[in-house]
DNA sequence: AAACAATAAAAAAACGATATATTTTGCCAA
DNA sequence: TTGGCAAAATATATCGTTTTTTTATTGTTT
């Protein structure tokens, strides 16, 4: 199903080795992961033949997956000249951050206005689980922890999940993924200084108190703080 | 180029008969038009073989185009069971309308805050051109006028064009296209009663006066009015 | 002699046709 | 009537051909 393909990013293909999904889905998820994680660098040419050999998947599924990624702004298509990984720029990152704040603020306010008790419980749970996962896999130097990334995305998507518009939610997810890529590319060296867990706790509290203004301010600050780090890394 | 494919909807392939675009783009545009205009009904099975013969284009470009349309929510992919035209529902239309209002209000306010003099001129021009095109091709009964549709989209996109985020603008365009489909499907019999030109003039005036609150209210009312007509048609 | 242009060769992408795997449908038996 | 099996239809994937683009080499001009 298309929705499953688009929504789940990292957690796909759990334990089942012989995935029943189509090869297109598999190619889509692998390519998406490889681009978001920074393994495939911006601007890099995506030669069909190369990918075909590497992923052991035919050209059609690869092409379809690349077409799909094009809509996510992770891949660019140059008519008659193939595909390449979408470029990054400071300007685009500013736009991304700005747009994300606009959309997520709206979604958060709607969620706080409409969210059920069951939703509150999901928020608490998501925050708790996130707090229990270390940000980095190593304690002395920073190594991105995929589990943390997954839990982090889940927390942020949970607090806006009851906004009443699956369309808006989809847009937010898309922008979130684009943002991860910028985070990964910028090295993330500066992060550990901030106590991110505290920020999440504060957001969680404001959400549970149904204090929309406070929650929105905290969320936007949370994003903008991260943004300045990414920006400074990008400029160097 | 991907951008050209995604942005221009109706006005593509102007006079040049031997289009230099890829067949994928051509298939994408034709299918998009056929779905938006309602020629291909919601839920209709899109058999590759059938489309291949009909459009005289190979299977690969057709599949790629369908994948692309999937991201626009105009086509649904059922894993291993092919593609079909996205279904419509009252619930989805409500969401669409709501989301559109949220996003376009934000975009309009930003445009009004940041728009240049040159932008004001573009707004005036877009409104003028729209006002000169008849809504219906026939005077006694309603026949959708493609020229009017194009000018209408152009007017609405122009007033939000200086929002400072090409990402947000892309989302708005996508939602606008989805909305056209609902309009076309609901017959549009009720419309001519309203004086839509007046509504556009009022919006235009408020925009030029840089009265963000008034412009936003007028725009949202404009959309919600149309929405109630579509809703009533959909319920029948 | 160096730089630019033109042509040719190689590489890559787009397309279309064929083959394989999956699903659906129809029929027969229990 | 229902369950299962088989056959047909349909979707997905691979492969080979054609067209386009890019690069390299050679020739010409300044």
């Amino acid at each position: 199903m298309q929705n499953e393909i688009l929504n789940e990013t990292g957690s796909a293909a759990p334990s089942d080795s012989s995935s029943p999904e189509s090869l297109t889905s598999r190619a889509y998820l692998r390519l998406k992961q490889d681009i978001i994680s920074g393994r495939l660098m911006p601007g890099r040419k995506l030669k069909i033949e190369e990918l075909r050999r590497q992923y052991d998947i035919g050209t059609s599924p690869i092409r379809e997956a690349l077409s799909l990624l094009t809509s996510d702004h992770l891949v660019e298509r140059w008519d008659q000249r193939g595909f390449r990984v979408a470029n990054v720029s400071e300007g685009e990152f500013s736009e991304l951050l700005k747009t994300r704040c606009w959309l997520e603020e709206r979604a958060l306010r709607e969620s706080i206005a409409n969210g059920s008790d069951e939703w509150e419980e999901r928020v608490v749970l998501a925050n708790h689980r996130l707090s229990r996962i270390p940000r980095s896999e190593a304690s002395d130097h920073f190594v991105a922890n995929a589990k943390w990334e997954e839990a982090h995305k889940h927390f942020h998507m949970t607090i806006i999940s009851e906004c009443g518009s699956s369309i808006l939610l989809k847009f937010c997810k898309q922008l979130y993924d684009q943002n991860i890529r910028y985070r990964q590319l910028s090295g993330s060296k500066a992060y550990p200084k901030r106590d991110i867990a505290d920020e999440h706790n504060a957001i969680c509290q404001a959400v549970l108190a149904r204090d929309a203004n406070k929650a929105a301010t905290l969320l936007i600050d949370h994003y903008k703080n991260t943004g300045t780090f990414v920006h400074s890394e990008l400029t160097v």
Side-chain angles (χ1 to χ4, degrees), chain A:
Chain A
M1 286 261 204
Q2 175 66 344
N3 279 353
E4 291 178 67
I5 299 176
L6 283 174
N7 291 341
E8 310 301 334
T9 303
S11 59
S15 51
D16 199 357
S17 57
S18 63
S19 13
E21 325 152 298
S22 67
L23 292 188
T24 300
S25 332
R26 239 191 291 176
Y28 173 82
L29 290 170
R30 282 197 62 179
L31 276 164
K32 188 170 181 178
Q33 269 308 110
D34 283 349
I35 293 169
I36 287 177
S37 67
R39 280 191 290 279
L40 288 170
M41 293 298 283
R44 157 139 185 198
K45 192 103 198 287
L46 293 167
K47 299 180 190 177
I48 307 282
E49 181 57 23
E50 196 180 321
L51 296 171
R52 196 192 61 71
R53 276 186 288 106
Q54 208 173 332
Y55 294 165
D56 197 36
I57 288 176
T59 52
S60 295
I62 296 275
R63 290 189 66 83
E64 277 182 60
L66 290 171
S67 292
L68 247 15
L69 286 164
T70 272
S71 303
D72 295 339
H73 273 95
L74 292 172
V75 164
E76 283 166 6
R77 164 185 234 139
W78 291 12
D79 250 10
Q80 250 78 21
R81 265 184 282 178
F83 300 88
R84 49 188 57 194
V85 179
N87 269 308
V88 294
S89 70
E90 255 199 279
E92 214 216 21
F93 179 71
S94 301
E95 266 195 24
L96 179 59
L97 183 59
K98 189 162 60 176
T99 312
R100 233 152 69 85
C101 287
W102 291 338
L103 266 54
E104 289 211 20
E105 176 175 0
R106 170 83 320 174
L108 182 60
R109 286 180 183 276
E110 295 292 328
S111 264
I112 288 176
N114 307 323
S116 61
D117 289 354
E118 180 266 336
W119 166 71
E120 286 191 1
E121 292 180 358
R122 281 195 288 122
V123 170
V124 171
L125 207 59
N127 183 49
H128 173 72
R129 286 188 184 152
L130 175 59
S131 70
R132 287 299 176 89
I133 300 171
R135 177 81 200 285
S136 168
E137 286 199 333
S139 52
D140 48 344
H141 67 293
F142 184 82
V143 181
N145 183 353
K147 286 277 173 205
W148 186 88
E149 282 296 346
E150 198 188 319
H152 187 246
K153 180 175 177 178
H154 186 248
F155 171 72
H156 279 290
M157 293 306 113
T158 301
I159 64 175
I160 62 172
S161 63
E162 301 246 303
C163 65
S165 165
S166 58
I167 302 167
L168 181 57
L169 206 53
K170 205 205 82 183
F171 287 157
C172 289
K173 280 181 184 164
Q174 219 174 286
L175 297 182
Y176 184 94
D177 285 340
Q178 280 184 255
N179 191 67
I180 297 179
R181 185 164 79 121
Y182 274 95
R183 272 219 321 265
Q184 303 285 3
L185 288 172
S186 69
S188 340
K189 280 158 275 179
Y191 282 33
K193 288 177 190 166
R194 278 165 64 211
D195 197 340
I196 298 189
D198 270 355
E199 296 186 24
H200 291 139
N201 284 330
I203 292 169
C204 188
Q205 268 194 311
V207 166
L208 294 176
R210 306 266 177 172
D211 188 339
N213 288 332
K214 191 173 183 186
T217 308
L218 287 169
L219 182 67
I220 290 175
D221 283 350
H222 178 64
Y223 285 153
K224 293 225 162 125
N225 279 334
T226 308
T228 44
F229 282 113
V230 174
H231 248 120
S232 62
E233 290 284 325
L234 226 57
T235 335
V236 176

